[in-house]
């Protein structure tokens, strides 16, 4: 238990790894714990503090403030909150294009059928009934994080391949995330010729704040927005070179590079070949994007 190390007031988000006497881990999954009861938060924190970087919130406002300012990877919320119902909070998050990618586990009081139904209808990724088991909670978190890693890998490799998502269904991906990424794919592809296409322009096109878009893309695809844009430019350039319908300097401009030199450097870094060498040695489809 780490109750003695917690502040007396925890209605605001708290990063436990930053508390005095606790050294922050090098890399940890950020988990947001939500409960109006301080003792319940203390108990849950004691279960998870050694494996995850924890944030806490005791009301809906604190939840929203935390996910707006921190890269939260998973939320564990009690279904019983003072200012709202945990299932309503979950439904709100799952219906938002900004936060639908965050897995949510709801904690239920006992095994009442109505609570189970509310959890399922809210779109929760999982629910756990009290009394809680440390081992079961950790196993559930591990499974959800592993599934998100598979989704990251799927979208990283299918974006900009011109393959309809319906033909290669992602593993357990929400409809909101699929719609978000399909729109993202379309916008980037449409604006590739614009050399000014970057995270700021993309955020405006997506009607999202830059930090929110950055966190969502990073969480879903493991790439930053600018990395995603750059890989899309180079993927399209490789396709155009394969078609042999354009000259190299024309292709550079078609994918948003003002400088042929910068295009050549970026292409070589991605494909380990200059555009000209790639064109001369091409015997099949363009190579896959390398995820580094």
């Amino acid at each position: 238990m780490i109750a003695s190390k917690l502040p007396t007031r925890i209605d605001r988000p708290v990063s436990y790894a930053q508390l005095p006497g606790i050294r922050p881990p090098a890399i940890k999954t950020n988990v947001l714990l939500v409960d109006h009861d301080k003792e319940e938060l203390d108990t849950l924190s004691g279960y998870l503090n050694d494996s995850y970087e924890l944030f806490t919130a005791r009301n809906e406002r604190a939840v929203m403030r935390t996910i707006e300012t921190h890269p939260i990877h998973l939320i564990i919320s009690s279904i019983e909150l003072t200012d709202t119902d945990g299932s309503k909070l979950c439904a709100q998050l799952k219906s938002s294009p900004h936060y639908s990618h965050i897995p949510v586990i709801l904690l239920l009081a006992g095994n009442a059928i109505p609570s189970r139904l509310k959890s399922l209808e809210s779109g929760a990724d999982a629910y756990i009934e009290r009394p809680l088991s440390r081992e079961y909670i950790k196993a559930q978190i591990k499974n959800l994080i592993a599934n998100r890693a598979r989704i990251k890998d799927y979208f990283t490799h299918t974006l900009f391949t011109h393959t309809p998502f319906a033909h290669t269904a992602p593993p357990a991906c929400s409809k909101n995330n699929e719609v978000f990424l399909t729109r993202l794919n379309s916008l980037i592809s449409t604006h590739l010729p614009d050399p000014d296409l970057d995270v700021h322009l993309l955020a405006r096109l997506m009607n999202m704040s830059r930090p929110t878009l950055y966190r969502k893309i990073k969480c879903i695809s493991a790439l930053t927005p600018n990395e995603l844009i750059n890989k899309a430019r180079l993927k399209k350039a490789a396709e155009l070179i394969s078609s042999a319908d354009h000259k190299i300097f024309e292709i550079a401009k078609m994918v948003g590079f003002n400088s042929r030199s910068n295009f050549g450097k970026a292409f070589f870094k991605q494909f380990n070949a200059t555009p000209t060498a790639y064109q001369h040695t091409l015997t099949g489809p363009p190579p896959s994007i390398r995820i580094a």
Side-chain angles (χ1 to χ4, degrees):
M1 300 290 290
I2 58 171
S4 61
K5 297 180 181 178
L6 299 179
T8 56
R9 180 181 176 184
I10 57 173
D11 58 336
R12 294 179 299 176
V14 176
S15 171
Y16 284 72
Q18 295 175 350
L19 294 175
I22 301 180
R23 296 181 60 187
I27 299 176
K28 278 191 177 181
T29 298
N30 293 338
V31 177
L32 173 60
L33 310 178
V34 186
D35 200 308
H36 69 279
D37 189 314
K38 180 181 181 299
E39 291 186 2
E40 293 291 346
L41 280 177
D42 290 351
T43 299
L44 195 55
S45 299
Y47 288 168
L48 304 175
N49 189 61
D50 62 336
S51 303
Y52 306 100
E53 180 158 355
L54 304 181
F55 296 76
T56 66
R58 293 176 65 179
N59 54 59
E60 181 182 356
R61 184 175 62 178
V63 169
M64 301 309 295
R65 184 165 59 243
T66 302
I67 62 179
E68 288 170 0
T69 56
H70 297 85
I72 298 301
H73 302 122
L74 184 139
I75 296 173
I76 302 177
S77 174
S78 171
I79 201 168
E80 298 175 345
L81 302 174
T82 54
D83 60 339
T84 187
D85 184 285
S87 61
K88 291 181 180 179
L89 174 63
C90 178
Q92 177 184 345
L93 295 173
K94 291 301 182 179
S95 63
S96 167
H98 300 71
Y99 308 118
S100 60
H101 61 283
I102 304 176
V104 177
I105 298 175
L106 290 179
L107 304 181
L108 312 184
N111 60 356
I113 296 298
S115 294
R116 294 184 185 180
L117 291 176
K118 287 171 68 175
S119 298
L120 294 173
E121 292 170 352
S122 71
D125 297 86
Y127 64 81
I128 300 177
E129 298 165 350
R130 289 187 167 96
L132 303 178
S133 161
R134 181 198 304 261
E135 291 74 20
Y136 186 80
I137 292 176
K138 286 189 172 183
Q140 190 66 265
I141 294 174
K142 182 178 179 181
N143 287 341
L144 288 177
I145 296 300
N147 184 60
R148 280 305 184 272
R150 289 192 293 270
I151 292 175
K152 278 185 180 183
D153 182 70
Y154 168 83
F155 280 118
T156 298
H157 288 85
T158 56
L159 280 174
F160 317 114
T161 60
H162 308 292
T163 300
F165 289 119
H167 293 174
T168 51
C173 177
S174 74
K175 184 64 177 178
N176 280 336
N177 283 343
E178 185 177 337
V179 170
F180 169 84
L181 282 159
T182 300
R183 183 172 178 231
L184 180 71
N185 187 3
S186 175
L187 285 172
I188 292 179
S189 298
T190 300
H191 290 82
L192 274 186
D194 184 357
D196 293 326
L197 179 62
D198 60 8
V199 63
H200 299 283
L201 176 57
L202 192 57
R204 291 199 297 271
L205 294 172
M206 293 290 292
N207 296 317
M208 301 175 72
S209 71
R210 187 194 62 78
T212 298
L213 180 66
Y214 183 98
R215 285 193 296 270
K216 187 171 181 74
I217 291 178
K218 183 73 173 177
C219 182
I220 293 178
S221 71
L223 301 171
T224 68
N226 284 334
E227 287 172 341
L228 199 62
I229 291 169
N230 189 57
K231 289 181 182 295
R233 293 189 195 280
L234 297 172
K235 175 71 174 180
K236 183 62 177 179
E239 292 176 358
L240 291 171
I241 292 175
S242 299
S243 69
D245 294 331
H246 305 278
K247 296 180 179 180
I248 298 298
F249 77 90
E250 293 175 331
I251 292 174
K253 289 185 177 296
M254 291 171 68
V255 297
F257 284 89
N258 283 330
S259 166
R260 181 172 175 176
S261 173
N262 289 340
F263 170 64
K265 291 177 182 177
F267 194 93
F268 185 87
K269 182 178 180 180
Q270 186 63 60
F271 295 111
N272 199 32
T274 66
T276 302
Y278 177 81
Q279 189 176 49
H280 289 164
T281 60
L282 191 61
T283 57
S288 301
I289 288 292
R290 189 173 67 245
I291 306 303

